[in-house]
Amino acid sequence: MTASTAEVLLDVQQASRSFGGLKALSEVSLHINRGELIGLIGPNGAGKTTLFNLLTGVYPPSSGSIILNNESVGGMKPFRINRKGAARTFQNIRLFTAMTVLDNVKIAFHQHAKHSMFTSMLRLPKHFSGEGEITQKAMDILKIFNLADQFDELAGNMSYGNQRRLEIARALAAGPKLLLLDEPAAGMNPNETRDLMNLIAWIREEFDLTILLIEHDMSLVMGVCDRIYVLDRGMLIADGSPLEIRNNPKVIEAYLGQEA
Amino acid sequence: MKKLNKSFWIGIVFAMVLYGVIQILLTTGIFDDVMESTLILICINVMLAVSLNLINGITGQFSIGHAGFMSIGAYVSAILTLNFDVPFVLALVISGLVAALFGVLIGIPTLRLNGDYLAIATLGFGEIIRIVLLNTEYVGGASGLSGIPTQTTWTIMFLFTLVTVVVINNFINSSHGRACIAIRENEIAAEAMGINTTLYKIIAFALGALFAGIAGGLSAHKFYVINPGSFNFLKSFEILVMVVLGGLGSTSGAIVGAIVLTVLFTVLQEYPELRMIIYSAILILMMIFRPKGLLGSTGFSFKKFAKKEAKPSDSINS
Ligand SMILES: Nc1ncnc2c1ncn2[C@@H]1O[C@H](COP(=O)(O)OP(=O)(O)O)[C@@H](O)[C@H]1O
Ligand SMILES: [Mg+2]
């Protein structure tokens, strides 16, 4: 698809965010078209997670606009943005650790629940049909992620790799159009990482998703992304195809500067 | 889903058998009036503990103003039956709804607060209610209200307790209750997954206040007199200790905690000054030996006791 004719799902214009005196993001503009898989890379502390926090409503932008699906969502509460179609995972895993694997996924389906609180309190028939539907859908998602046989385990007791996968499963359960993944491969070994990248490519097709993927290891995103944005010290320093990014002197400098 | 239904009916049958046995013991005179009063007191405390557990144990909001909601229910129902001849059960329902309304009104501004701050705010709310009652002529000031018709029978008490436990448990074991647990587990993630966390915190507060209010009404119509002093901080603390003893987050734990503490205090009636020592001792011993409570499902640490997680600014960025 060509960027000019494809429909824009996410459009960020001049978004900035400061924390006290620190400018974590300055005037970042980017756009993502429907169906794209976009990489967001940059050295540690570049502001990648901060951008996610703005996109998902954890913090309002200090200035600038965020348009999701033709609607301004800048400064909206996180639960509203989630319901508008953007779901995320966290760099430091945030599961509901004392809940079961199944219940973790069910939480994301709650926004689609068809039974009211009162039907549940009185155990009216609608409660059972509503809960049954949620359970069924949650199990379907777990099957896709090969987690179905662990549905009854506490999320906190799962292996690290499975916790990361469960977080993606949970985000997917919310039914997003845009999936935001914050360093999903962090802490995984090369085999797990490869499996994960294959999984991401697969769910993208299967669920008709648009994905924004944060990774600070540049080599990882090169193979899977359509386009890549590069952040450094709060500013967008480059964007383009993986090949363009690989050869961009500014990007090389930003990464060398960090490793030196 | 069938399984859920089955355990629900087993619980109902168990409750009915329990009720029948106690009813037989009461009518045959094996249980005397003192015993009946103790049983009613146990039920009142079960209602209070189970409703507080919804706020503190399930939703993870640290509230210590439960006696405030109880007193609202007690006073509203007493005034309705004393001054307006409202039928008892209707008066109870109204008093519960008024308490729930207060729960919402208190909840909206205070639930933005985290952990310790929320605790202080709810504590302040309880004390404000008490001081307003103390200084209101219409409700008898310090001496309170007396001559309240003693209409709380064992049967009515048991029914209301059963309804409280069933309704709250049904709520907890549903998508709506899971939303509350998710808030306790990780508020940022719950919000990010589409849960309106403010709404569910207010719902938990309102539901908890509703049943605490009804418990207050039942208590007023059992013990004939009410005064502001019986709804002080110590009462709120007592309910909290019941929940912690049983295990934060567990309804059956709250029931067991309420029974154990009520029996303990009935036995130690002559030494009221021992209460504070016992509360403290229980809290300390629980923390050391049974951090999850007698029947608890979630870990008990001071962090969990008060709030569920670090403030957003601490760690969201990494
Ligand atoms: N809530 C916050 N309060 C203060 N500073 C923050 C906050 N969130 C992020 N920052 C700062 O903003 C900068 C960018 O952080 P972050 O977005 O986490 O970087 P990245 O994800 O690219 O590694 C860092 O210097 C970080 O310390
Ligand atoms: Mg980051």
Side-chain angles (χ1 to χ4, degrees):
Chain A
M1 85 185 71
T2 55
S4 53
T5 53
E7 215 185 325
V8 175
L9 179 62
L10 177 76
D11 189 18
V12 180
Q13 290 296 332
Q14 312 275 312
S16 301
R17 172 74 208 192
S18 317
F19 297 105
L22 177 85
K23 226 163 182 217
L25 277 183
S26 25
E27 311 201 330
V28 170
S29 299
L30 54 83
H31 73 274
I32 303 179
N33 300 315
R34 274 176 214 278
E36 280 187 310
L37 200 171
I38 302 293
L40 178 63
I41 64 173
N44 262 323
K48 305 180 296 293
T49 299
T50 302
L51 179 63
F52 265 29
N53 285 339
L54 298 197
L55 296 180
T56 56
V58 175
Y59 306 124
S62 304
S63 65
S65 76
I66 300 168
I67 312 278
L68 174 68
N69 210 12
N70 302 319
E71 195 175 342
S72 172
V73 296
M76 228 180 234
K77 283 197 149 202
F79 82 92
R80 291 216 182 279
I81 297 183
N82 180 261
R83 292 174 186 197
K84 300 267 178 218
R88 73 178 288 181
T89 63
F90 295 88
Q91 184 176 350
N92 53 336
I93 304 174
R94 285 179 175 269
L95 287 170
F96 309 118
T97 47
M99 297 174 86
T100 65
V101 169
L102 182 62
D103 282 353
N104 266 269
V105 177
K106 281 180 173 183
I107 286 295
F109 278 118
H110 177 68
Q111 57 185 290
H112 308 296
K114 296 196 181 81
H115 56 299
S116 74
M117 192 171 92
F118 297 99
T119 61
S120 284
M121 289 199 282
L122 302 175
R123 285 292 185 265
L124 300 179
K126 235 176 156 184
H127 162 84
F128 294 101
S129 60
E131 292 284 330
E133 196 182 320
I134 289 178
T135 307
Q136 187 57 51
K137 284 183 175 167
M139 281 308 284
D140 289 347
I141 295 254
L142 287 180
K143 277 181 202 138
I144 291 170
F145 282 79
N146 273 334
L147 293 169
D149 49 336
Q150 301 181 54
F151 77 96
D152 214 12
E153 276 206 45
L154 293 185
N157 292 347
M158 292 212 301
S159 72
Y160 179 83
N162 278 345
Q163 291 197 14
R164 283 236 169 259
R165 282 142 48 92
L166 177 58
E167 236 204 348
I168 301 176
R170 184 181 66 175
L172 212 52
K177 298 182 187 75
L178 176 66
L179 182 64
L180 304 160
L181 302 173
D182 196 345
E183 303 204 16
M188 287 187 174
N189 65 37
N191 275 340
E192 288 173 323
T193 304
R194 190 166 25 83
D195 288 349
L196 183 77
M197 288 301 157
N198 288 336
L199 183 67
I200 290 171
W202 188 80
I203 57 172
R204 174 193 180 192
E205 297 299 323
E206 191 71 14
F207 290 87
D208 202 14
L209 285 172
T210 307
I211 298 177
L212 179 58
L213 175 73
I214 290 184
E215 208 17 271
H216 86 252
D217 179 358
M218 193 159 40
S219 60
L220 209 74
V221 289
M222 289 297 164
V224 289
C225 293
D226 299 326
R227 289 189 293 128
I228 292 172
Y229 284 99
V230 188
L231 269 178
D232 185 30
R233 279 169 267 172
M235 279 175 287
L236 214 52
I237 57 166
D239 70 272
S241 69
L243 199 67
E244 287 164 350
I245 294 298
R246 199 199 303 268
N247 300 322
N248 186 315
K250 276 196 203 164
V251 179
I252 294 166
E253 195 192 305
Y255 270 85
L256 284 179
Q258 190 206 19
E259 266 135 47
Chain B
M1 286 305 104
K2 276 214 181 86
K3 218 166 98 200
L4 230 157
N5 221 351
K6 201 171 146 200
S7 65
F8 170 75
W9 287 111
I10 290 173
I12 295 287
V13 168
F14 173 77
M16 287 306 151
V17 170
L18 182 70
Y19 169 77
V21 170
I22 290 176
Q23 189 62 27
I24 290 168
L25 291 170
L26 284 171
T27 44
T28 52
I30 297 171
F31 277 4
D32 59 5
D33 285 356
V34 177
M35 192 65 195
E36 186 180 354
S37 290
T38 306
L39 287 170
I40 289 178
L41 193 59
I42 287 175
C43 286
I44 290 169
N45 285 334
V46 165
M47 283 180 71
L48 291 167
V50 168
S51 57
L52 183 67
N53 180 52
L54 178 61
I55 302 172
N56 285 31
I58 297 296
T59 318
Q61 305 302 303
F62 189 15
S63 166
I64 39 176
H66 223 46
F69 297 125
M70 186 192 180
S71 69
I72 290 168
Y75 273 84
V76 169
S77 66
I79 288 165
L80 288 175
T81 54
L82 274 176
N83 298 2
F84 297 97
D85 286 325
V86 175
F88 177 46
V89 172
L90 181 61
L92 285 178
V93 172
I94 295 174
S95 66
L97 291 176
V98 173
L101 185 68
F102 269 84
V104 173
L105 291 179
I106 303 304
I108 289 171
T110 55
L111 287 174
R112 289 158 204 260
L113 303 172
N114 261 335
D116 309 343
Y117 298 101
L118 177 62
I120 292 165
T122 53
L123 178 68
F125 154 73
E127 286 301 287
I128 289 168
I129 295 280
R130 189 176 65 79
I131 287 162
V132 167
L133 292 172
L134 200 61
N135 292 294
T136 305
E137 209 64 55
Y138 183 68
V139 296
S143 51
L145 298 169
S146 62
I148 304 165
T150 50
Q151 285 170 303
T152 303
T153 62
W154 159 247
T155 302
I156 287 182
M157 189 68 234
F158 188 85
L159 273 177
F160 271 97
T161 310
L162 186 62
V163 168
T164 304
V165 172
V166 167
V167 166
I168 289 185
N169 217 31
N170 283 351
F171 174 81
I172 293 171
N173 292 307
S174 75
S175 195
H176 306 278
R178 279 196 301 274
C180 291
I181 299 174
I183 294 173
R184 175 192 77 196
E185 288 296 303
N186 196 317
E187 192 168 341
I188 289 171
E191 180 85 29
M193 288 302 120
I195 304 292
N196 185 345
T197 56
T198 312
L199 176 69
Y200 273 98
K201 284 194 227 171
I202 290 175
I203 287 174
F205 239 65
L207 271 180
L210 173 85
F211 291 107
I214 296 176
L218 287 159
S219 155
H221 288 79
K222 170 62 190 169
F223 299 109
Y224 181 74
V225 287
I226 50 174
N227 55 59
S230 38
F231 305 105
N232 59 9
F233 165 67
L234 209 57
K235 182 66 197 174
S236 291
F237 195 51
E238 183 182 298
I239 306 165
L240 182 66
V241 175
M242 288 170 187
V243 176
V244 172
L245 177 67
L248 273 168
S250 154
T251 302
S252 43
I255 296 172
V256 170
I259 295 173
V260 169
L261 272 202
T262 315
V263 169
L264 189 64
F265 288 137
T266 312
V267 173
L268 295 175
Q269 224 159 23
E270 266 106 279
Y271 315 100
E273 62 281 3
L274 274 182
R275 281 194 176 198
M276 206 63 205
I277 299 171
I278 293 174
Y279 292 152
S280 315
I282 287 177
L283 281 182
I284 293 168
L285 290 175
M286 295 304 294
M287 272 184 278
I288 297 171
F289 295 109
R290 278 206 75 91
K292 292 189 173 189
L294 293 177
L295 301 177
S297 58
T298 63
F300 169 59
S301 66
F302 252 116
K303 216 170 145 195
K304 204 138 223 173
F305 187 30
K307 56 172 185 178
K308 345 73 346 208
E309 51 159 339
K311 290 174 194 71
S313 55
D314 289 350
S315 54
I316 183 71
N317 52 321
S318 57

